[in-house]
Amino acid sequence: MKVINCSKNIKCELGACKNRSTREIVFDRVGIRGRIHLCDKCLSELYSAIGEVIVPKSVETAKKRDKASSCKAEPAGEDEAISGKRAKGGGK
């Protein structure tokens, strides 16, 4: 999906807006009529509405995930050291 500048003189397609479109939303894998024409005002309102529904993850959550992944990496190193000792000691 891409947002591109509209080169055609087409009316905005959202709601009862009568402005001329300045942007187009182009979808992948859809025919030539698979576009939505928007003015800048409607595009910013759509952006705000989507932002209320899809909330980006906070920085704190990302930091917790990084700590969790680094903690998981440490035991793997211990397992390798243990398995290396078993290999050197032979099978008792």
Side-chain angles (χ1 to χ4, degrees):
M1 182 182 309
K2 297 178 190 175
V3 178
I4 60 172
N5 290 330
C6 182
S7 60
K8 301 170 187 136
N9 192 12
I10 298 175
K11 200 168 88 171
C12 179
E13 296 178 343
L14 290 186
C17 183
K18 295 182 180 180
N19 295 329
R20 294 290 170 192
S21 65
T22 55
R23 308 282 181 185
E24 289 182 67
I25 298 176
V26 181
F27 299 100
D28 299 334
R29 295 180 260 139
V30 179
I32 193 166
R33 296 180 192 251
R35 296 175 181 225
I36 299 174
H37 299 91
L38 306 161
C39 65
D40 286 333
K41 181 183 173 194
C42 290
L43 182 64
S44 65
E45 289 178 13
L46 180 65
Y47 179 76
S48 298
I50 291 172
E52 291 175 4
V53 176
I54 301 174
V55 180
K57 294 182 180 177
S58 68
V59 175
E60 294 173 8
T61 305
K63 288 180 181 177
K64 288 178 184 177
R65 183 180 297 143
D66 289 340
K67 286 182 181 179
S69 64
S70 65
C71 291
K72 289 179 183 177
E74 291 175 12
E78 292 175 4
D79 290 341
E80 290 173 4
I82 292 170
S83 64
K85 289 178 184 177
R86 287 183 188 155
K88 290 179 184 175
K92 289 185 180 180

